[in-house]
Amino acid sequence: RGRERERQRLACISSHPMKVQDERATVEARLQRAQKTEEAASGQMKLLVDQAQHNYQALADRFDTSMAELRAQAESERQHAVVLQQRLDAAELRTHQAVAHVQMQYEAKLNNTLPINVQRELEGIIAALKQQNVALEGRVGLLQQELLAYRARNGQ
């Protein structure tokens, strides 16, 4: 727009031959200044764009690294949860096997008609084992709750 105005002014002045030369020099000087200003602005813009691209790439790299670390941590937590579940399952199986074994022993001994004092002693042992079983089942329940809570916290 400014250039067009200068050209119109130049055309208007061209009718005055004495001032034409001075006006042309003024117009040329202004055009050169405008071009230098435009080149400087363009250089600054390129520098800013390059810097923004560099900053973006650095952020993208940090994001990728963080995501990889989080994925590795999530996998580690998942494996830990699997191990805990396996331990829990094994403890529960051992408890059920122990109870079944004691029950079979008790029934076998009762079938052989044991003396009353031995029978009472065995019943006391069985009662104690049942209490231990209840305690173990309670522990299994707590471990299962912890596992569920752990899975819920870690999105599994």
PDB file of all heavy atoms in Angstrom, residues 5 16 19 29 31 38 50-51 53 61-62 80 90-91 94 102 123 131-132 136 150-152:
ATOM      1  N   ARG A   5       1.314   4.195  -2.925  1.00  0.00           N
ATOM      2  CA  ARG A   5       1.149   5.614  -2.647  1.00  0.00           C
ATOM      3  C   ARG A   5       2.376   6.393  -3.132  1.00  0.00           C
ATOM      4  O   ARG A   5       2.259   7.479  -3.708  1.00  0.00           O
ATOM      5  CB  ARG A   5       0.955   5.826  -1.144  1.00  0.00           C
ATOM      6  CG  ARG A   5       0.307   7.147  -0.840  1.00  0.00           C
ATOM      7  CD  ARG A   5       0.091   7.412   0.641  1.00  0.00           C
ATOM      8  NE  ARG A   5      -0.486   6.265   1.340  1.00  0.00           N
ATOM      9  CZ  ARG A   5      -0.226   5.961   2.607  1.00  0.00           C
ATOM     10  NH1 ARG A   5       0.577   6.717   3.313  1.00  0.00           N
ATOM     11  NH2 ARG A   5      -0.757   4.928   3.176  1.00  0.00           N
ATOM     12  N   HIS A  16       6.830  18.180 -12.532  1.00  0.00           N
ATOM     13  CA  HIS A  16       7.777  19.216 -12.110  1.00  0.00           C
ATOM     14  C   HIS A  16       9.173  18.650 -12.249  1.00  0.00           C
ATOM     15  O   HIS A  16       9.664  17.965 -11.357  1.00  0.00           O
ATOM     16  CB  HIS A  16       7.537  19.614 -10.665  1.00  0.00           C
ATOM     17  CG  HIS A  16       6.171  20.176 -10.403  1.00  0.00           C
ATOM     18  ND1 HIS A  16       5.048  19.888 -11.119  1.00  0.00           N
ATOM     19  CD2 HIS A  16       5.777  21.065  -9.473  1.00  0.00           C
ATOM     20  CE1 HIS A  16       4.033  20.523 -10.643  1.00  0.00           C
ATOM     21  NE2 HIS A  16       4.436  21.277  -9.625  1.00  0.00           N
ATOM     22  N   LYS A  19      11.971  18.789  -9.195  1.00  0.00           N
ATOM     23  CA  LYS A  19      11.821  18.033  -7.967  1.00  0.00           C
ATOM     24  C   LYS A  19      11.794  16.525  -8.213  1.00  0.00           C
ATOM     25  O   LYS A  19      11.894  15.750  -7.278  1.00  0.00           O
ATOM     26  CB  LYS A  19      10.541  18.438  -7.258  1.00  0.00           C
ATOM     27  CG  LYS A  19      10.575  19.835  -6.702  1.00  0.00           C
ATOM     28  CD  LYS A  19       9.347  20.065  -5.885  1.00  0.00           C
ATOM     29  CE  LYS A  19       9.364  21.417  -5.219  1.00  0.00           C
ATOM     30  NZ  LYS A  19       8.187  21.639  -4.411  1.00  0.00           N
ATOM     31  N   ALA A  29      15.098   5.579  -1.349  1.00  0.00           N
ATOM     32  CA  ALA A  29      15.633   5.403   0.006  1.00  0.00           C
ATOM     33  C   ALA A  29      14.580   4.764   0.907  1.00  0.00           C
ATOM     34  O   ALA A  29      14.878   3.846   1.691  1.00  0.00           O
ATOM     35  CB  ALA A  29      16.090   6.749   0.573  1.00  0.00           C
ATOM     36  N   LEU A  31      12.042   2.906  -0.049  1.00  0.00           N
ATOM     37  CA  LEU A  31      11.844   1.527  -0.508  1.00  0.00           C
ATOM     38  C   LEU A  31      12.966   0.616   0.000  1.00  0.00           C
ATOM     39  O   LEU A  31      12.716  -0.518   0.415  1.00  0.00           O
ATOM     40  CB  LEU A  31      11.767   1.457  -2.031  1.00  0.00           C
ATOM     41  CG  LEU A  31      10.489   1.999  -2.665  1.00  0.00           C
ATOM     42  CD1 LEU A  31      10.608   2.008  -4.190  1.00  0.00           C
ATOM     43  CD2 LEU A  31       9.290   1.163  -2.239  1.00  0.00           C
ATOM     44  N   GLU A  38      11.834  -5.364   6.193  1.00  0.00           N
ATOM     45  CA  GLU A  38      11.146  -6.616   5.871  1.00  0.00           C
ATOM     46  C   GLU A  38      12.099  -7.807   5.977  1.00  0.00           C
ATOM     47  O   GLU A  38      11.747  -8.855   6.522  1.00  0.00           O
ATOM     48  CB  GLU A  38      10.558  -6.533   4.458  1.00  0.00           C
ATOM     49  CG  GLU A  38       9.711  -7.719   4.084  1.00  0.00           C
ATOM     50  CD  GLU A  38       9.106  -7.563   2.696  1.00  0.00           C
ATOM     51  OE1 GLU A  38       8.842  -6.433   2.256  1.00  0.00           O
ATOM     52  OE2 GLU A  38       8.912  -8.611   2.062  1.00  0.00           O
ATOM     53  N   ASP A  50      12.374 -21.449  14.153  1.00  0.00           N
ATOM     54  CA  ASP A  50      13.375 -22.493  14.433  1.00  0.00           C
ATOM     55  C   ASP A  50      13.430 -22.794  15.923  1.00  0.00           C
ATOM     56  O   ASP A  50      13.492 -23.958  16.339  1.00  0.00           O
ATOM     57  CB  ASP A  50      14.760 -22.062  13.932  1.00  0.00           C
ATOM     58  CG  ASP A  50      14.855 -22.059  12.417  1.00  0.00           C
ATOM     59  OD1 ASP A  50      13.957 -22.620  11.746  1.00  0.00           O
ATOM     60  OD2 ASP A  50      15.835 -21.471  11.900  1.00  0.00           O
ATOM     61  N   GLN A  51      13.413 -21.755  16.736  1.00  0.00           N
ATOM     62  CA  GLN A  51      13.456 -21.938  18.192  1.00  0.00           C
ATOM     63  C   GLN A  51      12.199 -22.667  18.687  1.00  0.00           C
ATOM     64  O   GLN A  51      12.285 -23.565  19.520  1.00  0.00           O
ATOM     65  CB  GLN A  51      13.589 -20.582  18.877  1.00  0.00           C
ATOM     66  CG  GLN A  51      13.814 -20.675  20.369  1.00  0.00           C
ATOM     67  CD  GLN A  51      13.990 -19.304  21.002  1.00  0.00           C
ATOM     68  OE1 GLN A  51      13.647 -18.284  20.418  1.00  0.00           O
ATOM     69  NE2 GLN A  51      14.525 -19.286  22.198  1.00  0.00           N
ATOM     70  N   GLN A  53      10.340 -24.729  16.964  1.00  0.00           N
ATOM     71  CA  GLN A  53      10.430 -26.123  16.521  1.00  0.00           C
ATOM     72  C   GLN A  53      11.385 -26.910  17.426  1.00  0.00           C
ATOM     73  O   GLN A  53      11.106 -28.055  17.780  1.00  0.00           O
ATOM     74  CB  GLN A  53      10.888 -26.200  15.070  1.00  0.00           C
ATOM     75  CG  GLN A  53       9.810 -25.790  14.084  1.00  0.00           C
ATOM     76  CD  GLN A  53      10.321 -25.729  12.657  1.00  0.00           C
ATOM     77  OE1 GLN A  53      11.517 -25.626  12.407  1.00  0.00           O
ATOM     78  NE2 GLN A  53       9.391 -25.796  11.714  1.00  0.00           N
ATOM     79  N   ASP A  61      10.316 -35.190  22.868  1.00  0.00           N
ATOM     80  CA  ASP A  61      11.280 -36.198  23.327  1.00  0.00           C
ATOM     81  C   ASP A  61      11.077 -36.508  24.808  1.00  0.00           C
ATOM     82  O   ASP A  61      11.097 -37.679  25.214  1.00  0.00           O
ATOM     83  CB  ASP A  61      12.717 -35.727  23.075  1.00  0.00           C
ATOM     84  CG  ASP A  61      13.065 -35.668  21.600  1.00  0.00           C
ATOM     85  OD1 ASP A  61      12.318 -36.246  20.778  1.00  0.00           O
ATOM     86  OD2 ASP A  61      14.091 -35.031  21.265  1.00  0.00           O
ATOM     87  N   ARG A  62      10.890 -35.469  25.622  1.00  0.00           N
ATOM     88  CA  ARG A  62      10.655 -35.694  27.051  1.00  0.00           C
ATOM     89  C   ARG A  62       9.357 -36.458  27.286  1.00  0.00           C
ATOM     90  O   ARG A  62       9.282 -37.351  28.132  1.00  0.00           O
ATOM     91  CB  ARG A  62      10.608 -34.373  27.811  1.00  0.00           C
ATOM     92  CG  ARG A  62      11.999 -33.850  28.160  1.00  0.00           C
ATOM     93  CD  ARG A  62      11.919 -32.705  29.110  1.00  0.00           C
ATOM     94  NE  ARG A  62      11.427 -31.549  28.348  1.00  0.00           N
ATOM     95  CZ  ARG A  62      11.313 -30.332  28.792  1.00  0.00           C
ATOM     96  NH1 ARG A  62      11.628 -30.058  30.025  1.00  0.00           N
ATOM     97  NH2 ARG A  62      10.877 -29.365  28.036  1.00  0.00           N
ATOM     98  N   HIS A  80       4.052 -57.663  39.359  1.00  0.00           N
ATOM     99  CA  HIS A  80       4.029 -57.791  40.815  1.00  0.00           C
ATOM    100  C   HIS A  80       2.650 -58.267  41.273  1.00  0.00           C
ATOM    101  O   HIS A  80       2.537 -59.123  42.162  1.00  0.00           O
ATOM    102  CB  HIS A  80       4.396 -56.457  41.465  1.00  0.00           C
ATOM    103  CG  HIS A  80       4.482 -56.508  42.954  1.00  0.00           C
ATOM    104  ND1 HIS A  80       5.414 -57.249  43.637  1.00  0.00           N
ATOM    105  CD2 HIS A  80       3.704 -55.918  43.907  1.00  0.00           C
ATOM    106  CE1 HIS A  80       5.229 -57.114  44.927  1.00  0.00           C
ATOM    107  NE2 HIS A  80       4.195 -56.314  45.123  1.00  0.00           N
ATOM    108  N   ALA A  90      -1.809 -69.973  46.057  1.00  0.00           N
ATOM    109  CA  ALA A  90      -1.061 -71.080  46.653  1.00  0.00           C
ATOM    110  C   ALA A  90      -1.381 -71.214  48.145  1.00  0.00           C
ATOM    111  O   ALA A  90      -1.566 -72.333  48.652  1.00  0.00           O
ATOM    112  CB  ALA A  90       0.439 -70.876  46.441  1.00  0.00           C
ATOM    113  N   ALA A  91      -1.465 -70.099  48.856  1.00  0.00           N
ATOM    114  CA  ALA A  91      -1.785 -70.137  50.285  1.00  0.00           C
ATOM    115  C   ALA A  91      -3.187 -70.694  50.502  1.00  0.00           C
ATOM    116  O   ALA A  91      -3.414 -71.506  51.412  1.00  0.00           O
ATOM    117  CB  ALA A  91      -1.664 -68.740  50.892  1.00  0.00           C
ATOM    118  N   ARG A  94      -3.074 -74.491  49.905  1.00  0.00           N
ATOM    119  CA  ARG A  94      -2.445 -75.185  51.040  1.00  0.00           C
ATOM    120  C   ARG A  94      -3.396 -75.273  52.231  1.00  0.00           C
ATOM    121  O   ARG A  94      -3.482 -76.312  52.890  1.00  0.00           O
ATOM    122  CB  ARG A  94      -1.150 -74.473  51.453  1.00  0.00           C
ATOM    123  CG  ARG A  94       0.021 -74.724  50.531  1.00  0.00           C
ATOM    124  CD  ARG A  94       1.331 -74.220  51.132  1.00  0.00           C
ATOM    125  NE  ARG A  94       1.306 -72.824  51.526  1.00  0.00           N
ATOM    126  CZ  ARG A  94       1.620 -71.798  50.732  1.00  0.00           C
ATOM    127  NH1 ARG A  94       1.992 -72.027  49.493  1.00  0.00           N
ATOM    128  NH2 ARG A  94       1.571 -70.563  51.183  1.00  0.00           N
ATOM    129  N   VAL A 102      -6.627 -83.065  57.595  1.00  0.00           N
ATOM    130  CA  VAL A 102      -6.981 -83.203  59.013  1.00  0.00           C
ATOM    131  C   VAL A 102      -8.349 -83.850  59.152  1.00  0.00           C
ATOM    132  O   VAL A 102      -8.562 -84.726  60.007  1.00  0.00           O
ATOM    133  CB  VAL A 102      -6.920 -81.837  59.721  1.00  0.00           C
ATOM    134  CG1 VAL A 102      -7.570 -81.906  61.091  1.00  0.00           C
ATOM    135  CG2 VAL A 102      -5.491 -81.362  59.809  1.00  0.00           C
ATOM    136  N   GLU A 123     -10.380 -83.927  68.778  1.00  0.00           N
ATOM    137  CA  GLU A 123     -11.393 -82.894  68.540  1.00  0.00           C
ATOM    138  C   GLU A 123     -10.849 -81.517  68.903  1.00  0.00           C
ATOM    139  O   GLU A 123     -11.135 -80.525  68.234  1.00  0.00           O
ATOM    140  CB  GLU A 123     -12.666 -83.205  69.330  1.00  0.00           C
ATOM    141  CG  GLU A 123     -13.441 -84.364  68.750  1.00  0.00           C
ATOM    142  CD  GLU A 123     -14.617 -84.785  69.627  1.00  0.00           C
ATOM    143  OE1 GLU A 123     -14.786 -84.229  70.745  1.00  0.00           O
ATOM    144  OE2 GLU A 123     -15.367 -85.681  69.193  1.00  0.00           O
ATOM    145  N   GLN A 131      -9.792 -73.056  63.769  1.00  0.00           N
ATOM    146  CA  GLN A 131      -9.547 -71.642  64.108  1.00  0.00           C
ATOM    147  C   GLN A 131      -8.401 -71.085  63.269  1.00  0.00           C
ATOM    148  O   GLN A 131      -8.465 -69.959  62.776  1.00  0.00           O
ATOM    149  CB  GLN A 131      -9.235 -71.503  65.598  1.00  0.00           C
ATOM    150  CG  GLN A 131     -10.435 -71.685  66.491  1.00  0.00           C
ATOM    151  CD  GLN A 131     -10.069 -71.613  67.970  1.00  0.00           C
ATOM    152  OE1 GLN A 131      -8.902 -71.636  68.337  1.00  0.00           O
ATOM    153  NE2 GLN A 131     -11.081 -71.509  68.818  1.00  0.00           N
ATOM    154  N   GLN A 132      -7.367 -71.897  63.123  1.00  0.00           N
ATOM    155  CA  GLN A 132      -6.249 -71.458  62.274  1.00  0.00           C
ATOM    156  C   GLN A 132      -6.729 -71.271  60.843  1.00  0.00           C
ATOM    157  O   GLN A 132      -6.315 -70.331  60.151  1.00  0.00           O
ATOM    158  CB  GLN A 132      -5.106 -72.476  62.319  1.00  0.00           C
ATOM    159  CG  GLN A 132      -4.328 -72.482  63.608  1.00  0.00           C
ATOM    160  CD  GLN A 132      -3.219 -73.539  63.590  1.00  0.00           C
ATOM    161  OE1 GLN A 132      -3.078 -74.298  62.650  1.00  0.00           O
ATOM    162  NE2 GLN A 132      -2.443 -73.561  64.670  1.00  0.00           N
ATOM    163  N   LEU A 136      -6.537 -68.033  58.654  1.00  0.00           N
ATOM    164  CA  LEU A 136      -5.891 -68.025  57.341  1.00  0.00           C
ATOM    165  C   LEU A 136      -6.850 -67.543  56.249  1.00  0.00           C
ATOM    166  O   LEU A 136      -6.449 -66.806  55.348  1.00  0.00           O
ATOM    167  CB  LEU A 136      -5.344 -69.413  56.999  1.00  0.00           C
ATOM    168  CG  LEU A 136      -4.107 -69.850  57.770  1.00  0.00           C
ATOM    169  CD1 LEU A 136      -3.781 -71.303  57.463  1.00  0.00           C
ATOM    170  CD2 LEU A 136      -2.921 -68.952  57.449  1.00  0.00           C
ATOM    171  N   TYR A 150      -5.046 -52.687  44.868  1.00  0.00           N
ATOM    172  CA  TYR A 150      -3.817 -52.413  44.098  1.00  0.00           C
ATOM    173  C   TYR A 150      -4.133 -52.332  42.613  1.00  0.00           C
ATOM    174  O   TYR A 150      -3.690 -51.430  41.925  1.00  0.00           O
ATOM    175  CB  TYR A 150      -2.804 -53.527  44.383  1.00  0.00           C
ATOM    176  CG  TYR A 150      -1.570 -53.459  43.542  1.00  0.00           C
ATOM    177  CD1 TYR A 150      -0.543 -52.584  43.878  1.00  0.00           C
ATOM    178  CD2 TYR A 150      -1.424 -54.224  42.399  1.00  0.00           C
ATOM    179  CE1 TYR A 150       0.588 -52.498  43.104  1.00  0.00           C
ATOM    180  CE2 TYR A 150      -0.303 -54.145  41.626  1.00  0.00           C
ATOM    181  CZ  TYR A 150       0.713 -53.284  41.987  1.00  0.00           C
ATOM    182  OH  TYR A 150       1.825 -53.197  41.214  1.00  0.00           O
ATOM    183  N   ARG A 151      -4.935 -53.289  42.151  1.00  0.00           N
ATOM    184  CA  ARG A 151      -5.311 -53.285  40.726  1.00  0.00           C
ATOM    185  C   ARG A 151      -6.132 -52.055  40.388  1.00  0.00           C
ATOM    186  O   ARG A 151      -5.974 -51.472  39.327  1.00  0.00           O
ATOM    187  CB  ARG A 151      -6.075 -54.544  40.369  1.00  0.00           C
ATOM    188  CG  ARG A 151      -5.173 -55.765  40.273  1.00  0.00           C
ATOM    189  CD  ARG A 151      -5.950 -56.979  39.864  1.00  0.00           C
ATOM    190  NE  ARG A 151      -5.057 -58.118  39.676  1.00  0.00           N
ATOM    191  CZ  ARG A 151      -5.474 -59.355  39.559  1.00  0.00           C
ATOM    192  NH1 ARG A 151      -6.780 -59.622  39.575  1.00  0.00           N
ATOM    193  NH2 ARG A 151      -4.619 -60.338  39.388  1.00  0.00           N
ATOM    194  N   ALA A 152      -7.004 -51.668  41.280  1.00  0.00           N
ATOM    195  CA  ALA A 152      -7.835 -50.487  41.037  1.00  0.00           C
ATOM    196  C   ALA A 152      -6.983 -49.229  40.961  1.00  0.00           C
ATOM    197  O   ALA A 152      -7.199 -48.359  40.121  1.00  0.00           O
ATOM    198  CB  ALA A 152      -8.892 -50.356  42.142  1.00  0.00           C
TER     199      ALA A 152
END
